[in-house]
Every structure is written in C-alpha cells, then in structure tokens.
Amino acid sequence: MAESDKTSIGIDFGGTSVKLGVCRGDELLVTDEPIPTTQFHGPAALIGEMAARVAKLRATYPAICAIGVGVPGLVDFDHGFVHELTNVPGWKHVPLKAILGEKTGLPVLVENDANAMTYAEFRHGAARGLKNVIGMTLGTGIGGGLVLDGKMFRGSGFVAGEIGQMSIDYNGKPGHYGNLGALEKYTGNQQIAEHAVLRYSEAGIEKDMAECTPKKIADAAQAGDDIARQIWAEVADWLGTAISSIAWLLNPDAFVIGGGVAQAGDLIFNPLKNKVQSMLSTVVWERLQILPARFSNEAGIIGNAALAADAV
Amino acid sequence: MAESDKTSIGIDFGGTSVKLGVCRGDELLVTDEPIPTTQFHGPAALIGEMAARVAKLRATYPAICAIGVGVPGLVDFDHGFVHELTNVPGWKHVPLKAILGEKTGLPVLVENDANAMTYAEFRHGAARGLKNVIGMTLGTGIGGGLVLDGKMFRGSGFVAGEIGQMSIDYNGKPGHYGNLGALEKYTGNQQIAEHAVLRYSEAGIEKDMAECTPKKIADAAQAGDDIARQIWAEVADWLGTAISSIAWLLNPDAFVIGGGVAQAGDLIFNPLKNKVQSMLSTVVWERLQILPARFSNEAGIIGNAALAADAV
C-alpha cells in the first residue's frame, strides 16, 4: 500500500476525555488539549466542542481533509451512527458522522476504538507492511481488531474482533454473556490479580488484590519470584490458546498486542510465543509474528486519522 | 454480487478419483465420468487425462472459459502450485496451474477443497446472497473455509479455515500438532464413535465402534434413545463452543455445515443452535444463521467452477 501523505484529524473518544490530534502520513503533527467529557452535557454540546477544536486546528493545518473518530462502544460503521457508549451518559442513538460532518464540512468516519488501534499498528506501527494483522488490547477486558487482506474487517454487524469473548474452555468460567470459558474471565487484569492472590495463598503467602496488579506481578517475576513466573506462564497458556485458535482460523501475518499486561515485555511474550508455537503447524507458525504494540496512548488518534485519510 | 452466466469447468480432486463437471451460473450442466487416480502414475499422466477430458467437454460446451481445480491438500493459490497431497502418491511440488493451463489454453485456478465447498454454498447454495460465510465440513476431520466481505479469504500462507485445529479446551486432548483441545479430537467421526462407546458402556450397554457411527447414533436418537440424545447434546456443546468463538471473532452472517455429522439434521442442528445462542450477545446472534449445506457430493465441482468463473 502506498504511503499516504494526506493530513487528517484523529479523535479518540474515551470514557473521561476526548483526545484530538493532527496526522500527516505516519507523523503525529500535533495533539490538542483533551476535552473532558463531563464538562459537556449531552452529545450536541460535546460534538459542538469537537467541531470548534477542528476549526481551530484547520486554521493552522489547512490541508486537513478528513476526520476519524473512534468511540468505546457499538457503532454502525456504514452510517457513522453510535448505538450506545455505556461509559458516557447520554450517548445513545447519536448520528455522530452526520452531525460532525455538517458542522465541519469534512468527511467523517466513525470507528470502534479497538479497530482504530489495530489500524494504527497496521498502517504505521509494529505491523506496518503486513497484510493480515490481528490487534489485541489487554486490560480490564480484551479488545481486538482485524485487518484482513489489507483492509479493516468489521463483520456483518460491525462487531467483529471480540477476542475477549472467545472460549478457551467449553466447560469453563462463564463470561459476561454466559459464554463458558470466555478468555477475558481468565486474562482480564482483575482476573489475573484474583488468580495471583490464590496462587500466592496456596504457597502460604497472603497478598491482597492491590499487590497483584499485572505490573507488580511482572516486577516480582523480573526479580526472580517463582510464583510470579508461574502465574505468567499460566496467563501465557490461556492467551496462547486463544491466539493459536485465531491463527488456525485466519493464518495471519501478525498479532500486535497492546495494553497493560503486554507491558510485562519478554516475561509475557517469551512464554506466550512458546505456547503458540507448541499449538501450531510449521506452515502456520513460520509466517506468524507476535509483536508488542508500537503505540500506546496515541494509538487511537493515529489509527482514526489513518482510517479517515485512507477513506478519502 | 451479480449472477454470473459464464460457463466453466469444476474439477474436484479427491483421494481416489477426480470428478469433473461443467457449470453455467448456478446450473450444473453435466458431470463427466470420474477419473480413478490409481490408474494414472504420477501427476503428468493424470494432468494429461484431465486435459483430454477438458478438450472433450469443450467440444460440447464451446463457451467454457475457465477451469477451477480443488485439491485435498496444501496449495500456493497465487501460483496454482500444489505443495503436497498426502493421500495421492507422487503429488508433491506440482505446478498444476501452469501445466493444465498450458495443455488447455484456459485460465486455471487451484484451490483447497474446503474453500471450494464454502464458495459453492456462498455463490449458489445455502448462503447465497450473504456477505460473510463460514463453511464447515464434518467428517473424519473438520475442514473449513471463509468468505469474508464477499470474497474467499485464504490467509497469508493460504491455509486459513483450519477450524478442526482450534482449541475448545486449553487443557484438553492433544490434536494432530500437539495442540491441546483441538476440536476435531472431540467431534471427528472416530472421536464421536469412541465417546459413544464410552457413554453406552457407562450405562451398562456394550457397543462396538461400528455400532456407533454418527449415522447409527442419529438413528438411535431419532428412535428415542436417551443416551444417543445425550451424546448429540455433548457434540453440540463442543461444536457450538468453536462456532461461537468464530462468531465473536468474525461476526458472520452464516455458518454452513456439511458432511456426515451434519446429516443428523435437526437432532444436531437444534441443540447446536441453542448452544451457540447461549454463548453469544444479541447483536452477534441476531444476524447469525446456522444452515445445513445445500450441496454434498457436487459441492467441489460447483465451487471450483464458480471460483474460476468469478476470477475471469
């Protein structure tokens, strides 16, 4: 794919703030001051503020040709319609593309945030130049996005990529939807902490949840704590099972993994790679890369800007 | 997608015979006498016979504009190169597209057989008119194919769709590649029979493997045998776990299921649908169909002919 040098705005709509930035190709030219969502009551006011920010940025960057907005919730991609943002009061049935497009006169693309993160890594990040890329963010839940044959794949109802809901045990723990063995009930941050408390307790060591965040377990493992290493090996088994199933199904070039747990670095990536290799044929494994994400906080801005630029 | 009225040849290369047919749009105009693979020593002789058959069919159907060949093994789709057919002696590193193309002067497309089956159902069968379709064949092993955004999706190494190798239990039975919890180690024909022998034995009923084929268990369940019904419910749990994981990942319009086990009809489809629904959100479930395949023996001919026609 040819490198785009179009200038576009990426907007990353989070639970507490809206972040904006201007990108040209793979360059993040500037980020604007975040908009605190709580200061604006309802979608109309907040979209008005977004439009004002866009106008201000266009004064400095007149080449801006499109806007991409990523939201933490369910969207109708074709219509740029937000069904619901569960963490942002009042955001239900909002025709975001239509309103923001009318206010700015620019083409607007509305995307799910996990898709935008994946697209950022595919176009400008760790998976640049590859064709089939699976993005995963590990945090409270587990999000995912799919770039297939060089294009964002969204599924029939625009909800593809729900990796955290995939089952790793047909008889396992129920997920949010009653789905037995849901991956995120094993490898969500909270579940890893609970599991760690249990493992330490079995060894006669009492720790509370706050002492068992992924970061603290990673640090303990780094310092040579065998129980912490054992916990990471188990996390790698669970994650690796889901990753290998996706690899059998999609035969991709790469998984790009971001989010808190991924920051444990080689401690999680090495056992994870070993596990995935042990679950695959040579043909599937030999072209597969398992990569840490290049972008973190700026992934949403970059991914949404790239999606918007590539669509015009 | 507009209906093609192109005339093309589909060739279904099986372990013991090669079947040929001529298709126009969704019509199978004629099938030729199968070629027994054992009567031809090595690829050159067999490809020569295929070319002779093609010449004969073109005498009757001069509008034939392309040939699609489906093979039971690993192919390089871009080059129409057969890496290896494990069940056909001598078929290793065969440039099938180049040789058959040169002998016939027609465009040749070489595809994996599970992909061809899926494409047949997508273009002319149970999933006609849908955009995202997952094909599954249940037999000794479990094959799969993916049509995504209206196109065959093959993966980076052309081996996407290995549904039988996906894990349904991170701590489960090892598959052919050492992959723990491989679906086909639960729902392959042989494994279903073994499981049935065990279930009957637990109930004090001694049966051998030959009495526990999928067909015989289906018949027993139909006749009201509670143990047989229980066995189907378990098969539905295993299959349904894999199907729901794929649905979370790809948010497709339909699964189309063919092969021996699928012929158990409602006995397997009803518990399977219930299981899948219990594992999904409303958004994913409400646009999902789980359908029996329309085609059986002729799926390969129709799918390969359609793939070839759509490519020219």
Side-chain angles (χ1 to χ4, degrees):
Chain A
M1 189 176 292
E3 195 55 54
S4 161
D5 60 357
K6 288 174 196 150
T7 304
S8 59
I9 292 182
I11 302 182
D12 181 8
F13 196 142
T16 55
S17 75
V18 176
K19 296 183 287 182
L20 301 90
V22 180
C23 297
R24 184 171 56 212
D26 63 352
E27 243 187 305
L28 176 54
L29 300 175
V30 70
T31 53
D32 200 15
E33 191 74 13
I35 307 171
T37 52
T38 48
Q39 288 184 14
F40 296 85
H41 297 293
L46 188 51
I47 300 173
E49 177 65 15
M50 287 184 200
R53 297 296 188 94
V54 168
K56 196 190 73 177
L57 291 166
R58 289 175 84 182
T60 313
Y61 301 96
I64 288 168
C65 66
I67 304 169
V69 192
V71 302
L74 195 56
V75 304
D76 175 335
F77 175 78
D78 283 347
H79 301 96
F81 187 89
V82 177
H83 288 296
E84 187 166 12
L85 307 184
T86 41
N87 294 324
V88 191
W91 279 74
K92 205 167 177 175
H93 310 310
V94 179
L96 176 54
K97 174 180 173 149
I99 302 175
L100 190 58
E102 203 203 350
K103 282 184 187 295
T104 61
L106 287 171
V108 174
L109 183 144
V110 179
E111 186 55 274
N112 167 274
D113 54 3
N115 285 357
M117 169 273 181
T118 303
Y119 203 76
E121 296 295 336
F122 159 69
R123 282 295 267 128
H124 303 304
R128 188 171 171 155
L130 301 179
K131 199 170 76 163
N132 295 298
V133 177
I134 317 300
M136 289 176 75
T137 45
L138 310 179
T140 309
I142 295 179
L146 314 175
V147 170
L148 301 178
D149 282 342
K151 290 190 342 193
M152 196 82 240
F153 178 77
R154 298 180 175 90
S156 297
F158 311 109
V159 293
E162 288 284 359
I163 295 172
Q165 302 306 331
M166 295 175 72
S167 175
I168 59 167
D169 183 356
Y170 69 88
N171 206 18
K173 293 190 262 184
H176 180 70
Y177 300 91
N179 43 332
L180 302 182
L183 177 65
E184 70 183 23
K185 287 297 170 190
Y186 296 77
T187 60
N189 284 349
Q190 171 88 6
Q191 285 74 23
I192 292 175
E194 282 169 9
H195 181 71
V197 168
L198 180 74
R199 279 279 178 266
Y200 279 113
S201 164
E202 285 168 359
I205 302 164
E206 295 311 315
K207 295 212 184 206
D208 62 24
M209 294 282 286
E211 295 170 292
C212 289
T213 62
K215 173 86 178 81
K216 287 185 180 168
I217 300 166
D219 290 345
Q222 195 76 66
D225 175 343
D226 279 343
I227 297 167
R229 281 172 190 259
Q230 166 63 18
I231 292 162
W232 280 126
E234 291 176 280
V235 172
D237 264 9
W238 297 323
L239 271 180
T241 296
I243 286 176
S244 67
S245 288
I246 298 170
W248 281 116
L249 185 68
L250 297 178
N251 182 208
D253 298 300
F255 286 83
V256 179
I257 303 179
V261 172
Q263 283 159 25
D266 286 350
L267 274 170
I268 187 77
F269 276 89
N270 287 342
L272 183 60
K273 286 178 191 174
N274 291 339
K275 172 66 181 177
V276 173
Q277 182 173 13
S278 80
M279 297 279 286
L280 296 177
S281 68
T282 309
V283 175
V284 178
W285 170 251
E286 70 187 1
R287 45 176 76 234
L288 187 66
Q289 298 181 64
I290 299 179
L291 305 165
R294 173 179 167 191
F295 304 118
S296 53
N297 290 333
E298 69 281 29
I301 291 174
I302 293 170
N304 287 300
L307 279 160
D310 287 347
V312 292
Chain B
M1 188 175 295
E3 196 55 55
S4 161
D5 60 357
K6 289 173 196 151
T7 304
S8 59
I9 293 184
I11 302 182
D12 182 7
F13 196 142
T16 55
S17 74
V18 175
K19 296 184 287 184
L20 300 91
V22 179
C23 297
R24 184 171 55 212
D26 63 352
E27 243 185 305
L28 176 54
L29 301 174
V30 70
T31 53
D32 200 15
E33 191 75 12
I35 307 171
T37 51
T38 49
Q39 287 184 15
F40 295 86
H41 297 296
L46 189 52
I47 299 173
E49 177 64 14
M50 287 184 201
R53 298 295 189 94
V54 167
K56 197 191 72 179
L57 291 166
R58 288 175 84 183
T60 313
Y61 301 96
I64 287 167
C65 66
I67 304 169
V69 192
V71 301
L74 195 57
V75 303
D76 175 334
F77 175 79
D78 283 347
H79 300 97
F81 188 88
V82 177
H83 288 296
E84 187 166 13
L85 306 184
T86 42
N87 295 325
V88 191
W91 278 74
K92 206 166 176 175
H93 310 311
V94 179
L96 176 55
K97 174 181 173 148
I99 301 175
L100 189 59
E102 204 204 350
K103 283 184 187 295
T104 61
L106 287 171
V108 174
L109 184 145
V110 179
E111 185 55 273
N112 167 274
D113 54 3
N115 285 357
M117 169 271 180
T118 304
Y119 203 76
E121 296 295 336
F122 159 70
R123 282 296 266 128
H124 303 303
R128 188 170 170 155
L130 302 178
K131 199 169 74 161
N132 295 300
V133 178
I134 318 298
M136 291 175 74
T137 45
L138 309 179
T140 309
I142 295 179
L146 313 175
V147 170
L148 301 179
D149 282 342
K151 291 192 339 193
M152 197 81 240
F153 178 77
R154 297 179 175 91
S156 297
F158 311 109
V159 293
E162 288 284 1
I163 295 172
Q165 303 305 332
M166 295 175 72
S167 176
I168 59 167
D169 183 355
Y170 69 87
N171 207 18
K173 294 190 261 184
H176 181 70
Y177 300 91
N179 43 332
L180 302 182
L183 177 65
E184 70 182 23
K185 287 295 169 190
Y186 295 78
T187 59
N189 284 349
Q190 171 88 3
Q191 286 73 25
I192 292 175
E194 282 168 9
H195 181 71
V197 168
L198 180 73
R199 279 280 177 265
Y200 278 113
S201 164
E202 285 167 359
I205 302 165
E206 295 310 315
K207 295 213 185 206
D208 62 24
M209 295 282 288
E211 295 170 292
C212 290
T213 62
K215 173 87 179 82
K216 288 187 179 167
I217 300 167
D219 291 345
Q222 195 75 67
D225 175 342
D226 279 342
I227 297 167
R229 282 172 189 259
Q230 167 63 19
I231 292 163
W232 281 126
E234 291 177 280
V235 172
D237 264 9
W238 296 323
L239 272 180
T241 295
I243 286 175
S244 67
S245 288
I246 298 169
W248 281 116
L249 185 68
L250 298 177
N251 182 208
D253 297 300
F255 287 82
V256 180
I257 303 179
V261 172
Q263 283 160 24
D266 286 350
L267 272 171
I268 187 77
F269 276 88
N270 288 343
L272 183 60
K273 286 178 190 173
N274 291 339
K275 172 66 181 178
V276 173
Q277 183 174 13
S278 80
M279 297 279 286
L280 296 177
S281 68
T282 309
V283 174
V284 178
W285 171 251
E286 70 188 1
R287 45 176 78 232
L288 188 67
Q289 299 181 64
I290 299 179
L291 305 165
R294 173 180 168 191
F295 303 118
S296 53
N297 289 334
E298 69 281 32
I301 290 173
I302 293 169
N304 287 301
L307 278 160
D310 287 347
V312 294

